[in-house]
Amino acid sequence: MSAQVVRVGSRGSHLAKAMVAEVTAPLREAHPGITWKQHTVMTSGDRDRKSSLTDLGRSEVSVFATALEDALLAGEIDIAVHSFKDLATAPTPGTAIAALPRRGDPRDALCGTPLADLPVGARVGTGSPRRVAQLLALRPDVATTPIRGNVPPRLRRGRELGLAGVVLAAAGLRRLDLGHEITEALDPDAFPPSPAQGVIAVQVRETDTDLYALVAAVHDEATAAAATAERSLLAELHGGCSVPVGALATADGDRLRLVAQVTSLDGTTALRTAQAATLAEPADLGKRAATALLDQGAENILAQIRETPAP
């Protein structure tokens, strides 16, 4: 980092650039003497549009985050802006999460026909094993079609294929000014989102204490507590983007409530728990929720996808 310029690395999608803008706008106000310059880093997940998320997610390291972290550690960028759900639950040595700005809408959204109105046999687009499992749990009479890529192409592809709907993250749609595409924001109690969905993570090198202090201006404690609880749960379940784990923590005063669900890939079994704790103990809350799910037999469900050989 030069005295006046901070290089902000992100993926090259319109959504990634929108997240950079969301982070840097308040930073420019807080630090008017500094220039925050966006740098695009291409990730392996962006290059590979054919493999399923299940296959890509078999690695312990996120395919969407590794290139950004490599660029950060190599000094090619000064901070990395991630979708927090793309980061592995174990921190990458040499890096630190310096700020978690206020969370966007954490819910999943159906773009197309509302869930209750889908006709029998309707096809719904999603490339997420969790979303497939949760859809089948609620509507076993519908079919799912794998669909990947950035948000606008997924919406376009859904229309080209004649799908009844596409499931996407509400936060991404709203950040791209595509909120009008949402026909139903799915109830997170019945359709819990991916852990940390809607949360942006600002990552720095752990030795860059000056940068850490600069980006603290956008940190939100309630968001951090919720994301910590959700990712603690995921870590205890040894999960990643390829396993059907949904979780959402919400703050109410000094209390934090966590709803979590593990769903079998065919949707026939959905194990759920709801736990609460003080806002000061989010990691313990996540661990307790994970234990409750494991006590119900969640490991049997999670083992299914881990033991399924890649095609």
Side-chain angles (χ1 to χ4, degrees), residues 103 106-108 130 134 188 191-197 230 245-248:
R103 186 178 208 164
R107 297 173 295 178
D108 278 323
R130 172 190 61 81
Q134 290 177 343
F191 206 100
S194 179
Q197 184 162 295
E230 294 162 23
V245 177
L248 181 64

Side-chain angles (χ1 to χ4, degrees), residues 197-281:
Q197 184 162 295
V199 179
I200 298 172
V202 182
Q203 186 182 41
V204 301
R205 291 177 289 272
E206 62 182 355
T207 55
D208 285 344
T209 53
D210 289 346
L211 262 180
Y212 202 110
L214 283 176
V215 300
V218 298
H219 185 69
D220 182 74
E221 287 294 342
T223 294
T228 297
E230 294 162 23
R231 285 169 59 82
S232 173
L233 164 95
L234 192 63
E236 288 294 306
L237 295 177
H238 305 290
C241 66
S242 67
V243 296
V245 177
L248 181 64
T250 51
D252 183 8
D254 64 350
R255 301 291 293 175
L256 193 64
R257 176 178 181 263
L258 175 63
V259 173
Q261 179 173 312
V262 175
T263 314
S264 63
L265 294 176
D266 61 4
T268 57
T269 303
L271 306 179
R272 297 173 51 78
T273 188
Q275 305 280 332
T278 69
L279 208 59
E281 49 183 358

Side-chain angles (χ1 to χ4, degrees), residues 52-253:
S52 71
L53 289 181
T54 299
D55 300 332
L56 289 172
R58 291 178 189 275
S59 169
E60 289 297 316
V61 180
S62 169
V63 294
F64 294 117
T66 303
L68 277 170
E69 293 185 320
D70 288 346
L72 180 66
L73 291 170
E76 297 167 8
I77 57 176
D78 300 307
I79 67 175
V81 171
H82 302 272
S83 177
F84 202 14
K85 68 183 179 67
D86 289 342
L87 287 176
T89 52
T92 299
T95 72
I97 301 302
L100 299 173
R102 186 176 179 180
R103 186 178 208 164
D105 188 337
R107 297 173 295 178
D108 278 323
L110 189 55
C111 301
T113 306
L115 190 63
D117 297 332
L118 288 169
V120 173
R123 292 187 301 150
V124 178
T126 175
S128 159
R130 172 190 61 81
R131 288 171 177 158
V132 170
Q134 290 177 343
L135 276 169
L136 292 176
L138 295 173
R139 287 294 308 267
D141 56 308
V142 305
T144 59
T145 297
I147 188 167
R148 281 195 58 218
N150 295 327
V151 173
R154 270 190 277 180
L155 288 169
R156 184 169 60 250
R157 184 63 174 156
R159 294 186 180 104
E160 291 171 351
L161 293 174
L163 302 183
V166 176
V167 182
L168 297 164
L173 288 159
R174 298 191 194 284
R175 284 172 172 141
L176 290 169
D177 294 324
L178 292 171
H180 60 277
E181 296 278 1
I182 298 173
T183 50
E184 181 180 7
L186 297 170
D187 179 0
D189 276 344
F191 206 100
S194 179
Q197 184 162 295
V199 179
I200 298 172
V202 182
Q203 186 182 41
V204 301
R205 291 177 289 272
E206 62 182 355
T207 55
D208 285 344
T209 53
D210 289 346
L211 262 180
Y212 202 110
L214 283 176
V215 300
V218 298
H219 185 69
D220 182 74
E221 287 294 342
T223 294
T228 297
E230 294 162 23
R231 285 169 59 82
S232 173
L233 164 95
L234 192 63
E236 288 294 306
L237 295 177
H238 305 290
C241 66
S242 67
V243 296
V245 177
L248 181 64
T250 51
D252 183 8

